[in-house]
Amino acid sequence: MTSEYKKPLPRPTINPEVSQPFWEGTKKHELWLQYCLNHNGHFFYPREVCPVCLAPQERLVWQQVPAKGRVHSYTTVYQPALPAFAEEAPFIHALIELDAGARIVGNVVGLSREEVEGNALELNQPVEAVFEDVTDEWTLVKWQRVDG
Amino acid sequence: MSLRGEAAIIGIGELPTQRSTPGRSMLGLLGDAARIAIKDAHIRKEDVDGIVTEGGATYPASVAEYLGIRDVRFGTGSSMMGASGATGIAIASMAVMNGLANNVLVLMGVARNPALGGGGEGFGGPGGEFEMPYGTAAGANTGYAMIYKKHMDQYGTTQEQLAHVASNQRFNALENENSAFKGQAISHQDVLDSRYVNYPLRLLECVMPCGGAAAAIVTTAERAKASLTNPVYVLGVGTALDDFGAYPKPEFTTSPVARSAPVAYAMSGYTPRDIQFAEFYDCYTILEAMCLEDAGIAPKGEIGPFFAATDTTYKGTFPINTDGGQLSSGQPGLAGGFRHVIEGARQIMGKAGVRQVARKDLCLVNG
Amino acid sequence: MTSEYKKPLPRPAMNPEVSKPFWEGTKKHELWMQYCLNHNGHFFYPREVCPICWAPQDRLVWQKVSGKGRVFSYTTVFQPAIPAFAEEAPYIHALIEVDEGARIIGNVIDIPQEDVAANKLEVNQRVEAVFEDVTDEWTLVKWKPIGEG
């Protein structure tokens, strides 16, 4: 919640209007995904057509989903591309498979430095979302371990 | 061996061309066009195993990702600016006939969404240094106007003659649901009365930038025969390109069509006399006119008298740009040039409705 | 020769080093073009390789040329792309074929405004270069009609 946040903020380049409900959700500390009424499934990232069945925009709705999932895979970043991330390296950049069925990228936080460097995080580790209000405008979704 | 009769378009998809596409992105519009195309082709999304995009702003992989197209066996960009769509069909035909893929999705388009900014960015190259200081007009107007002027001087072509290009195409667009100018009639005199953007180009001789998208499915002849559609066989293809800018090239009033058309004719076994109707790239009246004569539809330099004497509407003796073309539908980026392929296929499939041409079997397309 | 020049100045986007002799020439009110020692001909715009015979850079030299030519084609711009040009529209944006054989873009000036608006300029009109010092840094080449010969 500081104006001095130095790391990149989300830049909605494909279509800000389409992804807006996602970011409105995170500000309320909720996870919202698009749901396709045609094939009956969630997907991520936000789109104007369903990536599973090509259903058009009017068949896509937004739903709040349980902010829970599992670590599908991850990498421990020792050398970030951007200097702004340098001081917290190494950190975990993970792909989370949500219980709702879609995949989303985020950091897994709450591990000790020893755990991070020892690659103690296991794949399939159950995680839940934590919402980080990085500026007044933006809230990022990160993840922490929970008991399966 | 050639690709004569070896590949066919079995489905097309085209979105209405719109002056602006609020809330929409290019990728989103491409998705809508793709959906229409696979439905038209009676295939499933999962059957698409190849993809051809423009390749610059739209990498095949970005589009495949956005559209969730899995197991792509063949993907490339055609990168031919206005001719990207037509070239994409040629590339897709080669891919399917050689077994690289079975169903190649060719798709082009652009959004026109003020929220996304965009448009109007210059290309790299010499323009910023050697042309812009002298006050260019918008888009490609400057170069094509000078070609127009040279054509007038060289062959006696008149603005009065080329105004028919615009007015005939507007007639063709009047009942086209996908035209931005649907129902907005203009007369030959209206074209001549429209203001100069830059002499000799008048406003109604220039395309209007729009948003939109189009797509088509190409498959093997064998699969096409077994499909539930009325296939459109690709009988001959030729491609050629020229300098990016108009001014250095020696043959100023000749287009690359002078080199691509003979290849396509030879491959197909047909001659200009056999062509029943034409769908030709038309960012400006002069460009379309010049390309038509380079394709042998009229002798070189005589395209002006041809337009003065020929009814080129869909009801006419030699229909050209039967959906209104880009001049009377709008130019949704590279889907603008692709529309000529789409409309040619639509006519051959017999799905052009009120504007169905009488003789619909052999079409010459220039992208 | 004013710092208030509002129109676009040349932006050498491809390779400023290669085109520099051209702009140094215009500052001296001279027209310079590259000449290819391989095929023995001039060309324009400046390049690192000859567009006629692909001769490499070390076969390309700069030469001062006559500064005369003919109008190859032109357009009269009634609606400029950039607002800064609006007040002088309509004006002539032309393609000039210089006597040495290369083509170059520029404005044809020194024509009465009513003739400009009426598109009286003829293709093949003989012209010669005039140099306009638009800022302390940049001199543009424009063209004015002259008699035959």
Side-chain angles (χ1 to χ4, degrees):
Chain A
M1 205 61 124
T2 163
S3 58
E4 291 187 37
Y5 187 74
K6 294 280 194 297
K7 285 173 272 191
L9 293 167
R11 282 184 305 146
T13 47
I14 301 182
N15 193 331
E17 283 180 66
V18 165
S19 61
Q20 195 177 355
F22 178 81
W23 296 112
E24 286 173 349
T26 63
K27 281 183 89 161
K28 293 184 286 184
H29 289 203
E30 294 168 358
L31 190 64
W32 287 69
L33 295 183
Q34 276 174 301
Y35 182 82
C36 173
L37 298 170
N38 235 36
H39 82 277
N40 294 313
H42 291 96
F43 61 87
F44 187 81
Y45 47 92
R47 290 166 167 92
E48 291 158 56
V49 296
C50 170
V52 178
C53 69
L54 289 184
Q57 208 160 8
E58 65 265 25
R59 299 291 292 160
L60 310 178
V61 296
W62 283 90
Q63 290 184 342
Q64 187 184 354
V65 298
K68 291 182 191 300
R70 289 173 183 271
V71 175
H72 186 77
S73 189
Y74 76 94
T75 175
T76 310
V77 180
Y78 286 84
Q79 187 180 319
L82 298 178
F85 286 96
E87 63 186 27
E88 63 200 66
F91 56 87
I92 290 168
H93 181 99
L95 186 54
I96 308 300
E97 177 105 29
L98 299 171
D99 291 351
R103 283 187 203 152
I104 184 170
V105 163
N107 301 120
V108 179
V109 296
L111 281 78
S112 71
R113 173 117 190 170
E114 292 69 34
E115 286 177 310
V116 170
E117 291 188 352
N119 304 310
L121 182 63
E122 302 273 354
L123 297 197
N124 292 319
Q125 165 70 48
V127 289
E128 70 177 11
V130 285
F131 294 89
E132 205 170 300
D133 302 316
V134 295
T135 68
D136 290 347
E137 299 283 309
W138 293 99
T139 299
L140 300 182
V141 198
K142 300 191 175 180
W143 302 85
Q144 65 185 10
R145 293 174 293 181
V146 291
D147 293 333
Chain B
M1 179 172 102
S2 82
L3 55 71
R4 185 186 201 285
E6 298 287 346
I9 296 170
I10 57 167
I12 54 175
E14 183 185 47
L15 305 186
T17 300
Q18 293 171 290
R19 188 73 174 108
S20 74
T21 56
R24 300 308 310 276
S25 68
M26 173 176 65
L27 289 167
L29 294 175
L30 292 178
D32 287 346
R35 181 185 334 102
I36 299 168
I38 60 169
K39 184 166 182 240
D40 193 51
H42 294 274
I43 63 171
R44 298 169 308 147
K45 170 174 169 267
E46 291 70 28
D47 297 323
V48 173
D49 57 358
I51 181 167
V52 180
T53 66
E54 182 271 333
T58 53
Y59 292 118
S62 327
V63 176
E65 175 196 288
Y66 189 97
L67 301 182
I69 301 171
R70 302 273 79 89
D71 303 323
V72 175
R73 297 163 62 197
F74 177 78
T76 193
S78 59
S79 299
M80 289 285 280
M81 297 189 285
S84 294
T87 305
I89 295 294
I91 294 170
S93 299
M94 292 186 262
V96 298
M97 78 173 277
N98 287 297
L100 279 77
N102 291 326
N103 294 293
V104 178
L105 173 65
V106 181
L107 72 178
M108 310 280 154
V110 73
R112 209 171 152 82
N113 177 351
L116 300 180
E121 287 297 311
F123 295 93
E129 186 170 5
F130 296 110
E131 297 174 57
M132 289 193 39
Y134 303 105
T136 46
N141 286 24
T142 316
Y144 282 115
M146 291 197 291
I147 289 171
Y148 198 159
K149 178 63 182 170
K150 192 71 179 177
H151 205 279
M152 289 163 65
D153 187 74
Q154 210 169 345
Y155 299 114
T157 307
T158 67
Q159 295 162 284
E160 197 275 341
Q161 291 165 339
L162 294 199
H164 289 292
V165 175
S167 56
N168 286 356
Q169 287 184 202
R170 182 57 63 90
F171 175 85
N172 290 345
L174 290 180
E175 296 189 66
N176 179 1
E177 294 296 333
N178 290 344
S179 164
F181 295 101
K182 177 178 181 278
Q184 300 172 42
I186 58 170
S187 67
H188 179 251
Q189 193 59 42
D190 287 338
V191 179
L192 291 172
D193 289 343
S194 66
R195 67 184 166 85
Y196 280 128
V197 180
N198 49 306
Y199 166 85
L201 273 178
R202 299 178 190 276
L203 183 67
L204 293 178
E205 294 182 273
C206 306
V207 280
M208 181 172 80
C210 287
I217 305 288
V218 177
T219 193
T220 59
E222 191 181 339
R223 283 167 193 275
K225 281 188 194 85
S227 85
L228 298 171
T229 70
N230 185 8
V232 177
Y233 292 93
V234 177
L235 300 179
V237 171
T239 76
L241 56 76
D242 245 348
D243 290 349
F244 182 85
Y247 72 94
K249 69 183 191 122
E251 57 295 299
F252 198 69
T253 51
T254 299
S255 71
V257 174
R259 280 170 282 123
S260 61
V263 176
Y265 285 131
M267 192 182 293
S268 70
Y270 292 106
T271 70
R273 282 171 183 280
D274 300 316
I275 304 298
Q276 296 173 343
F277 67 104
E279 305 292 343
F280 260 57
Y281 197 85
D282 62 336
C283 47
Y284 303 93
T285 52
I286 179 63
L287 184 271
E288 177 188 328
M290 180 170 69
C291 291
L292 282 163
E293 61 185 15
D294 291 339
I297 300 304
K300 187 67 193 171
E302 293 178 28
I303 196 65
F306 171 88
F307 271 104
T310 310
D311 181 357
T312 62
T313 69
Y314 60 78
K315 294 179 170 173
T317 49
F318 191 81
I320 299 173
N321 289 342
T322 49
D323 66 340
Q326 300 182 73
L327 284 170
S328 269
S329 294
Q331 182 177 46
L334 300 177
F338 200 17
R339 80 174 314 116
H340 304 290
V341 177
I342 302 288
E343 172 69 4
R346 186 186 281 125
Q347 291 280 358
I348 290 171
M349 288 172 169
K351 295 197 283 197
V354 66
R355 62 176 193 274
Q356 184 67 52
V357 296
R359 302 192 313 144
K360 68 168 185 65
D361 296 323
L362 193 60
C363 176
L364 185 66
V365 174
N366 181 43
Chain C
M1 206 59 127
T2 165
S3 57
E4 291 185 39
Y5 188 72
K6 292 281 194 295
K7 287 174 271 189
L9 292 166
R11 282 184 304 140
M14 289 183 298
N15 192 332
E17 281 180 67
V18 165
S19 61
K20 197 170 165 192
F22 178 81
W23 297 112
E24 286 174 348
T26 63
K27 280 185 88 162
K28 292 184 287 185
H29 289 205
E30 294 170 357
L31 190 64
W32 286 68
M33 285 190 173
Q34 276 174 302
Y35 181 83
C36 172
L37 298 170
N38 234 37
H39 83 277
N40 294 313
H42 290 92
F43 61 87
F44 190 80
Y45 48 92
R47 290 168 167 93
E48 291 157 59
V49 62
C50 171
I52 311 289
C53 68
W54 287 3
Q57 205 160 8
D58 52 15
R59 300 290 293 157
L60 309 178
V61 295
W62 283 89
Q63 290 184 345
K64 184 182 165 189
V65 295
S66 67
K68 291 187 178 175
R70 292 179 184 277
V71 173
F72 185 81
S73 189
Y74 75 93
T75 175
T76 312
V77 181
F78 289 79
Q79 184 181 323
I82 296 172
F85 286 95
E87 64 186 28
E88 62 200 68
Y91 55 85
I92 289 166
H93 182 100
L95 184 52
I96 307 300
E97 186 153 285
V98 298
D99 289 353
E100 290 78 8
R103 288 187 204 150
I104 181 170
I105 292 281
N107 302 119
V108 180
I109 58 173
D110 274 3
I111 300 177
Q113 197 61 21
E114 57 273 25
D115 290 354
V116 170
N119 306 304
K120 288 255 176 77
L121 180 64
E122 299 278 349
V123 170
N124 291 321
Q125 169 67 48
R126 193 107 178 100
V127 289
E128 77 175 8
V130 287
F131 296 89
E132 211 167 282
D133 302 317
V134 295
T135 69
D136 290 348
E137 299 283 307
W138 293 100
T139 299
L140 299 181
V141 199
K142 299 190 174 180
W143 302 83
K144 67 172 186 192
I146 55 171
E148 282 298 314

